[in-house]
mmCIF file of all heavy atoms in Angstrom:
data_model
loop_
_atom_site.group_PDB
_atom_site.id
_atom_site.type_symbol
_atom_site.label_atom_id
_atom_site.label_comp_id
_atom_site.label_asym_id
_atom_site.label_seq_id
_atom_site.Cartn_x
_atom_site.Cartn_y
_atom_site.Cartn_z
ATOM 1 N N THR A 407 10.417 3.273 9.320
ATOM 2 C CA THR A 407 11.657 3.663 8.659
ATOM 3 C C THR A 407 11.383 3.933 7.203
ATOM 4 O O THR A 407 10.416 3.476 6.596
ATOM 5 C CB THR A 407 12.737 2.618 8.719
ATOM 6 O OG1 THR A 407 13.967 3.043 7.945
ATOM 7 C CG2 THR A 407 12.269 1.256 8.051
ATOM 8 N N TRP A 408 12.172 5.048 6.665
ATOM 9 C CA TRP A 408 11.997 5.318 5.225
ATOM 10 C C TRP A 408 13.079 4.570 4.387
ATOM 11 O O TRP A 408 12.974 4.678 3.181
ATOM 12 C CB TRP A 408 12.136 6.837 5.028
ATOM 13 C CG TRP A 408 13.483 7.394 5.499
ATOM 14 C CD1 TRP A 408 14.613 7.224 4.932
ATOM 15 C CD2 TRP A 408 13.625 8.137 6.727
ATOM 16 N NE1 TRP A 408 15.622 7.815 5.672
ATOM 17 C CE2 TRP A 408 15.052 8.564 6.766
ATOM 18 C CE3 TRP A 408 12.807 8.693 7.581
ATOM 19 C CZ2 TRP A 408 15.571 9.230 7.775
ATOM 20 C CZ3 TRP A 408 13.299 9.397 8.677
ATOM 21 C CH2 TRP A 408 14.660 9.739 8.705
ATOM 22 N N MET A 409 13.807 3.695 4.992
ATOM 23 C CA MET A 409 14.907 2.944 4.367
ATOM 24 C C MET A 409 14.321 1.735 3.690
ATOM 25 O O MET A 409 13.768 0.879 4.389
ATOM 26 C CB MET A 409 16.038 2.657 5.290
ATOM 27 C CG MET A 409 16.853 3.904 5.846
ATOM 28 S SD MET A 409 17.529 4.804 4.491
ATOM 29 C CE MET A 409 18.862 3.694 3.947
ATOM 30 N N LEU A 410 14.548 1.613 2.424
ATOM 31 C CA LEU A 410 14.016 0.344 1.674
ATOM 32 C C LEU A 410 14.640 -0.899 2.348
ATOM 33 O O LEU A 410 13.976 -1.925 2.391
ATOM 34 C CB LEU A 410 14.342 0.450 0.271
ATOM 35 C CG LEU A 410 13.232 1.101 -0.682
ATOM 36 C CD1 LEU A 410 13.924 1.487 -2.022
ATOM 37 C CD2 LEU A 410 12.171 0.188 -0.886
ATOM 38 N N GLU A 411 15.917 -0.877 2.727
ATOM 39 C CA GLU A 411 16.594 -2.032 3.207
ATOM 40 C C GLU A 411 15.853 -2.595 4.449
ATOM 41 O O GLU A 411 15.839 -3.844 4.647
ATOM 42 C CB GLU A 411 18.066 -1.756 3.544
ATOM 43 C CG GLU A 411 18.968 -1.616 2.319
ATOM 44 C CD GLU A 411 18.949 -0.126 1.854
ATOM 45 O OE1 GLU A 411 18.063 0.671 2.104
ATOM 46 O OE2 GLU A 411 19.927 0.234 1.072
ATOM 47 N N ASP A 412 15.361 -1.714 5.330
ATOM 48 C CA ASP A 412 14.786 -2.128 6.579
ATOM 49 C C ASP A 412 13.308 -2.381 6.518
ATOM 50 O O ASP A 412 12.729 -3.201 7.245
ATOM 51 C CB ASP A 412 15.069 -1.043 7.627
ATOM 52 C CG ASP A 412 16.566 -0.855 7.791
ATOM 53 O OD1 ASP A 412 17.280 -1.794 7.842
ATOM 54 O OD2 ASP A 412 16.926 0.361 7.950
ATOM 55 N N GLY A 413 12.617 -1.658 5.651
ATOM 56 C CA GLY A 413 11.196 -1.817 5.590
ATOM 57 C C GLY A 413 10.645 -2.335 4.361
ATOM 58 O O GLY A 413 9.362 -2.555 4.230
ATOM 59 N N GLY A 414 11.403 -2.512 3.308
ATOM 60 C CA GLY A 414 10.877 -2.802 1.952
ATOM 61 C C GLY A 414 10.792 -4.222 1.584
ATOM 62 O O GLY A 414 11.058 -5.102 2.491
ATOM 63 N N ARG A 415 10.637 -4.505 0.442
ATOM 64 C CA ARG A 415 10.561 -5.868 -0.180
ATOM 65 C C ARG A 415 11.257 -5.795 -1.477
ATOM 66 O O ARG A 415 11.693 -4.765 -1.970
ATOM 67 C CB ARG A 415 9.095 -6.223 -0.430
ATOM 68 C CG ARG A 415 8.214 -6.316 0.843
ATOM 69 C CD ARG A 415 8.372 -7.573 1.556
ATOM 70 N NE ARG A 415 7.875 -8.725 0.798
ATOM 71 C CZ ARG A 415 6.597 -9.142 0.691
ATOM 72 N NH1 ARG A 415 5.711 -8.533 1.440
ATOM 73 N NH2 ARG A 415 6.345 -10.170 -0.069
ATOM 74 N N GLY A 416 11.420 -7.070 -2.087
ATOM 75 C CA GLY A 416 12.124 -7.085 -3.372
ATOM 76 C C GLY A 416 13.651 -7.265 -3.165
ATOM 77 O O GLY A 416 14.114 -7.405 -2.115
ATOM 78 N N SER A 417 14.303 -7.100 -4.322
ATOM 79 C CA SER A 417 15.786 -7.308 -4.382
ATOM 80 C C SER A 417 16.537 -6.054 -4.163
ATOM 81 O O SER A 417 16.739 -5.299 -5.121
ATOM 82 C CB SER A 417 16.216 -8.051 -5.697
ATOM 83 O OG SER A 417 17.509 -8.217 -5.735
ATOM 84 N N ILE A 418 16.952 -5.853 -2.894
ATOM 85 C CA ILE A 418 17.642 -4.515 -2.608
ATOM 86 C C ILE A 418 18.959 -4.277 -3.316
ATOM 87 O O ILE A 418 19.311 -3.318 -3.823
ATOM 88 C CB ILE A 418 17.822 -4.336 -1.031
ATOM 89 C CG1 ILE A 418 16.432 -4.298 -0.444
ATOM 90 C CG2 ILE A 418 18.562 -3.126 -0.843
ATOM 91 C CD1 ILE A 418 15.425 -3.279 -0.851
ATOM 92 N N GLY A 419 19.726 -5.523 -3.347
ATOM 93 C CA GLY A 419 21.003 -5.530 -3.993
ATOM 94 C C GLY A 419 20.884 -5.132 -5.428
ATOM 95 O O GLY A 419 21.702 -4.377 -6.002
ATOM 96 N N ARG A 420 19.899 -5.718 -6.109
ATOM 97 C CA ARG A 420 19.799 -5.409 -7.500
ATOM 98 C C ARG A 420 19.263 -3.980 -7.704
ATOM 99 O O ARG A 420 19.664 -3.325 -8.658
ATOM 100 C CB ARG A 420 18.614 -6.351 -8.117
ATOM 101 C CG ARG A 420 19.083 -7.735 -8.369
ATOM 102 C CD ARG A 420 18.027 -8.571 -9.024
ATOM 103 N NE ARG A 420 17.377 -7.876 -10.136
ATOM 104 C CZ ARG A 420 16.618 -8.452 -11.013
ATOM 105 N NH1 ARG A 420 16.396 -9.708 -11.002
ATOM 106 N NH2 ARG A 420 15.959 -7.801 -12.016
ATOM 107 N N MET A 421 18.467 -3.478 -6.779
ATOM 108 C CA MET A 421 18.075 -2.066 -6.877
ATOM 109 C C MET A 421 19.280 -1.159 -6.862
ATOM 110 O O MET A 421 19.379 -0.162 -7.484
ATOM 111 C CB MET A 421 17.066 -1.762 -5.893
ATOM 112 C CG MET A 421 15.648 -2.192 -6.129
ATOM 113 S SD MET A 421 14.475 -1.539 -4.946
ATOM 114 C CE MET A 421 13.049 -2.505 -5.339
ATOM 115 N N ARG A 422 20.166 -1.447 -5.868
ATOM 116 C CA ARG A 422 21.421 -0.529 -5.744
ATOM 117 C C ARG A 422 22.169 -0.625 -7.073
ATOM 118 O O ARG A 422 22.622 0.475 -7.503
ATOM 119 C CB ARG A 422 22.258 -1.158 -4.610
ATOM 120 C CG ARG A 422 21.698 -0.885 -3.155
ATOM 121 C CD ARG A 422 22.827 -0.978 -2.180
ATOM 122 N NE ARG A 422 22.273 -1.151 -0.848
ATOM 123 C CZ ARG A 422 22.114 -2.280 -0.156
ATOM 124 N NH1 ARG A 422 22.599 -3.370 -0.707
ATOM 125 N NH2 ARG A 422 21.688 -2.287 1.014
ATOM 126 N N SER A 423 22.348 -1.775 -7.714
ATOM 127 C CA SER A 423 23.096 -1.916 -8.881
ATOM 128 C C SER A 423 22.379 -1.115 -10.005
ATOM 129 O O SER A 423 23.017 -0.366 -10.897
ATOM 130 C CB SER A 423 23.284 -3.338 -9.346
ATOM 131 O OG SER A 423 24.040 -4.018 -8.392
ATOM 132 N N ARG A 424 21.008 -1.204 -10.134
ATOM 133 C CA ARG A 424 20.252 -0.475 -11.129
ATOM 134 C C ARG A 424 20.422 0.993 -10.964
ATOM 135 O O ARG A 424 20.497 1.693 -11.879
ATOM 136 C CB ARG A 424 18.862 -0.965 -11.049
ATOM 137 C CG ARG A 424 17.874 -0.252 -12.041
ATOM 138 C CD ARG A 424 18.318 -0.744 -13.482
ATOM 139 N NE ARG A 424 18.053 -2.138 -13.670
ATOM 140 C CZ ARG A 424 18.395 -2.811 -14.865
ATOM 141 N NH1 ARG A 424 18.836 -2.112 -15.817
ATOM 142 N NH2 ARG A 424 18.136 -4.110 -14.914
ATOM 143 N N LYS A 425 20.384 1.430 -9.691
ATOM 144 C CA LYS A 425 20.459 2.947 -9.437
ATOM 145 C C LYS A 425 21.752 3.492 -9.881
ATOM 146 O O LYS A 425 21.752 4.560 -10.494
ATOM 147 C CB LYS A 425 20.319 3.163 -7.935
ATOM 148 C CG LYS A 425 20.251 4.563 -7.564
ATOM 149 C CD LYS A 425 19.793 4.844 -6.080
ATOM 150 C CE LYS A 425 19.817 6.304 -5.712
ATOM 151 N NZ LYS A 425 18.697 7.016 -6.350
ATOM 152 N N LEU A 426 22.852 2.775 -9.732
ATOM 153 C CA LEU A 426 24.206 3.282 -10.280
ATOM 154 C C LEU A 426 24.132 3.517 -11.717
ATOM 155 O O LEU A 426 24.707 4.498 -12.299
ATOM 156 C CB LEU A 426 25.245 2.250 -10.055
ATOM 157 C CG LEU A 426 25.657 2.081 -8.515
ATOM 158 C CD1 LEU A 426 26.555 0.874 -8.287
ATOM 159 C CD2 LEU A 426 26.184 3.340 -7.882
ATOM 160 N N VAL A 427 23.376 2.724 -12.507
ATOM 161 C CA VAL A 427 23.205 2.846 -13.876
ATOM 162 C C VAL A 427 22.249 4.020 -14.333
ATOM 163 O O VAL A 427 22.568 4.766 -15.173
ATOM 164 C CB VAL A 427 22.862 1.543 -14.579
ATOM 165 C CG1 VAL A 427 22.644 1.689 -16.090
ATOM 166 C CG2 VAL A 427 23.903 0.505 -14.359
ATOM 167 N N ASN A 428 21.082 3.900 -13.710
ATOM 168 C CA ASN A 428 19.980 4.783 -14.068
ATOM 169 C C ASN A 428 20.060 6.162 -13.504
ATOM 170 O O ASN A 428 19.379 7.177 -13.937
ATOM 171 C CB ASN A 428 18.650 4.254 -13.701
ATOM 172 C CG ASN A 428 18.274 3.028 -14.555
ATOM 173 O OD1 ASN A 428 18.924 2.619 -15.456
ATOM 174 N ND2 ASN A 428 17.122 2.412 -14.261
ATOM 175 N N ASP A 429 20.798 6.314 -12.350
ATOM 176 C CA ASP A 429 20.870 7.571 -11.592
ATOM 177 C C ASP A 429 22.289 7.808 -11.124
ATOM 178 O O ASP A 429 22.538 7.750 -9.918
ATOM 179 C CB ASP A 429 19.883 7.371 -10.484
ATOM 180 C CG ASP A 429 19.836 8.661 -9.552
ATOM 181 O OD1 ASP A 429 20.155 9.769 -9.995
ATOM 182 O OD2 ASP A 429 19.458 8.563 -8.342
ATOM 183 N N PRO A 430 23.259 8.113 -12.072
ATOM 184 C CA PRO A 430 24.628 8.163 -11.762
ATOM 185 C C PRO A 430 24.932 9.242 -10.642
ATOM 186 O O PRO A 430 25.892 9.168 -10.000
ATOM 187 C CB PRO A 430 25.281 8.382 -13.057
ATOM 188 C CG PRO A 430 24.255 8.920 -13.967
ATOM 189 C CD PRO A 430 23.010 8.325 -13.520
ATOM 190 N N LEU A 431 24.168 10.334 -10.505
ATOM 191 C CA LEU A 431 24.500 11.330 -9.687
ATOM 192 C C LEU A 431 23.675 11.179 -8.295
ATOM 193 O O LEU A 431 23.743 11.975 -7.433
ATOM 194 C CB LEU A 431 24.073 12.735 -10.187
ATOM 195 C CG LEU A 431 24.843 13.232 -11.474
ATOM 196 C CD1 LEU A 431 24.333 14.538 -11.828
ATOM 197 C CD2 LEU A 431 26.422 13.113 -11.183
ATOM 198 N N SER A 432 22.920 10.028 -8.165
ATOM 199 C CA SER A 432 22.274 9.648 -7.016
ATOM 200 C C SER A 432 21.241 10.818 -6.644
ATOM 201 O O SER A 432 21.135 11.233 -5.460
ATOM 202 C CB SER A 432 23.128 9.278 -5.863
ATOM 203 O OG SER A 432 22.376 8.556 -4.852
ATOM 204 N N LEU A 433 20.471 11.323 -7.581
ATOM 205 C CA LEU A 433 19.523 12.385 -7.332
ATOM 206 C C LEU A 433 18.099 11.892 -7.128
ATOM 207 O O LEU A 433 17.220 12.693 -6.665
ATOM 208 C CB LEU A 433 19.563 13.371 -8.505
ATOM 209 C CG LEU A 433 20.827 14.119 -8.764
ATOM 210 C CD1 LEU A 433 20.858 14.909 -10.014
ATOM 211 C CD2 LEU A 433 21.095 15.080 -7.575
ATOM 212 N N LEU A 434 17.812 10.657 -7.464
ATOM 213 C CA LEU A 434 16.446 10.107 -7.333
ATOM 214 C C LEU A 434 16.125 9.748 -5.907
ATOM 215 O O LEU A 434 16.656 8.828 -5.363
ATOM 216 C CB LEU A 434 16.197 8.928 -8.223
ATOM 217 C CG LEU A 434 16.064 9.290 -9.728
ATOM 218 C CD1 LEU A 434 16.034 7.927 -10.541
ATOM 219 C CD2 LEU A 434 14.842 10.088 -9.985
#
Side-chain angles (χ1 to χ4, degrees):
T407 176
W408 57 75
M409 294 298 293
L410 269 164
E411 287 87 341
D412 301 319
R415 298 278 296 273
S417 177
I418 299 300
R420 283 185 45 165
M421 283 187 189
R422 289 199 195 102
S423 299
R424 181 67 64 186
K425 185 172 181 66
L426 290 172
V427 176
N428 289 358
D429 180 23
L431 299 181
S432 198
L433 295 173
L434 285 173

